[in-house]
Amino acid sequence: MTGTELVLVRPSARAARRKKPMLSAMVAAALLAIPALTAATPTGAATAAEAAAESTAPSTPRPTVVLVHGAFADSSSWDAVISRLQREGCPVIGVANPLRGLAGDSAYLSSVLDTIAGPVILVGHSYGGAVITDAAVGHPNVKALVYIAAFAPDQGESGLAILGKYPGSQLPPALTVRSFPGGQDAYVNPADFRQVFAADVPAGKARLMAAGQRPVALAAFEEPSSTPAWKSIPSWFLVAGADHAMPPAAEQAMAQRAGSHTEVIRTASHAVLVSHPEATAHLIETAARATS
């Protein structure tokens, strides 16, 4: 035989039958040894210890973030903020604010709060700030109030009165009023919507917001607030420094009066939650950490 040849020798049937039980026994022994070897390794031991520690560690519930939109908007205005909060593991509820009147809207929000057992961070934008101010009273699970370019009225004060104290709002002349059974609804004229409400939002997005805006009953702006929750609950305030709907001076004054932890975005419009969702979400997370 020249060179090197590989010869495959097939075992006889009898030899194969003799080896099979021996091989089966060896495989079974090896499989039985695997869990023992894994458990003996430092990584396996650490993993088991971590799992045991996690199972016995007390769990602190994350606060539920309840978001309340304002006039001329709906819960979709919070979409980008909600995405960021959910990525951080925060439970979120975007409440559909009725926009029919301050007392009724606050009572509706209060009924939602009644259904939440754990801690709550209550957030309001624009007119939604007046709603959270009234609704949070009597709810000890509300740990923080967060105002996003929002009204934070004192007792007996209305949104209309606040705008009257601080000149500069472009909102009143931009309103279109339509009657409905029992009252009058106010809309922002679509031609003025971006300039007044969302100047730093891309034009296409602002047009969609204008077309889909939800009107507010005029009576809601005239209705006086009741006992303000910011007197007993810590608050945070995001001031929109280029707001044309609510004068920034009014936002600053309300934040100072409430003793709020305040941040200012000097270039932000009234729709700061749409144009600056990262900063809005960050402020809400800050309030949650500070009160947990």
Side-chain angles (χ1 to χ4, degrees), residues 116-175:
I116 304 172
V120 169
I121 307 300
L122 191 53
V123 187
H125 171 240
S126 188
Y127 165 74
V131 177
I132 71 170
T133 296
D134 284 10
V137 175
H139 291 279
N141 60 327
V142 175
K143 302 303 180 184
L145 303 171
V146 183
Y147 294 92
I148 308 298
F151 289 99
D154 202 347
Q155 185 164 5
E157 197 171 41
S158 69
L160 194 60
I162 291 170
L163 291 181
K165 287 181 185 177
Y166 299 91
S169 173
Q170 298 177 21
L171 181 62
L175 293 180

Side-chain angles (χ1 to χ4, degrees), residues 90-266:
C90 296
V92 184
I93 298 174
V95 174
N97 189 354
L99 304 180
R100 297 296 83 193
L102 184 55
D105 296 344
S106 300
Y108 176 79
L109 176 58
S110 180
S111 72
V112 174
L113 297 175
D114 284 339
T115 69
I116 304 172
V120 169
I121 307 300
L122 191 53
V123 187
H125 171 240
S126 188
Y127 165 74
V131 177
I132 71 170
T133 296
D134 284 10
V137 175
H139 291 279
N141 60 327
V142 175
K143 302 303 180 184
L145 303 171
V146 183
Y147 294 92
I148 308 298
F151 289 99
D154 202 347
Q155 185 164 5
E157 197 171 41
S158 69
L160 194 60
I162 291 170
L163 291 181
K165 287 181 185 177
Y166 299 91
S169 173
Q170 298 177 21
L171 181 62
L175 293 180
T176 296
V177 177
R178 295 188 176 101
S179 296
F180 67 89
Q184 290 182 309
D185 263 345
Y187 298 75
V188 179
N189 188 327
D192 299 318
F193 188 92
R194 188 177 185 223
Q195 169 63 22
V196 173
F197 198 88
D200 60 345
V201 173
K205 174 67 173 176
R207 283 194 295 270
L208 291 174
M209 292 169 64
Q213 65 178 292
R214 286 189 52 212
V216 61
L218 281 176
F221 281 122
E222 300 169 348
E223 198 171 336
S225 181
S226 62
T227 304
W230 48 257
K231 288 191 175 180
S232 56
I233 300 173
S235 61
W236 279 255
F237 209 114
L238 184 57
V239 173
D243 195 335
H244 297 156
M246 183 189 302
E251 297 174 27
Q252 289 273 21
M254 288 184 286
Q256 184 175 3
R257 179 175 65 184
S260 303
H261 307 272
T262 305
E263 292 186 11
V264 181
I265 301 179
R266 298 196 179 280

Side-chain angles (χ1 to χ4, degrees), residues 12-23:
S12 66
R14 182 179 296 176
R17 284 195 297 270
R18 285 199 303 268
K19 289 180 180 179
K20 187 177 292 184
M22 184 181 297
L23 289 172

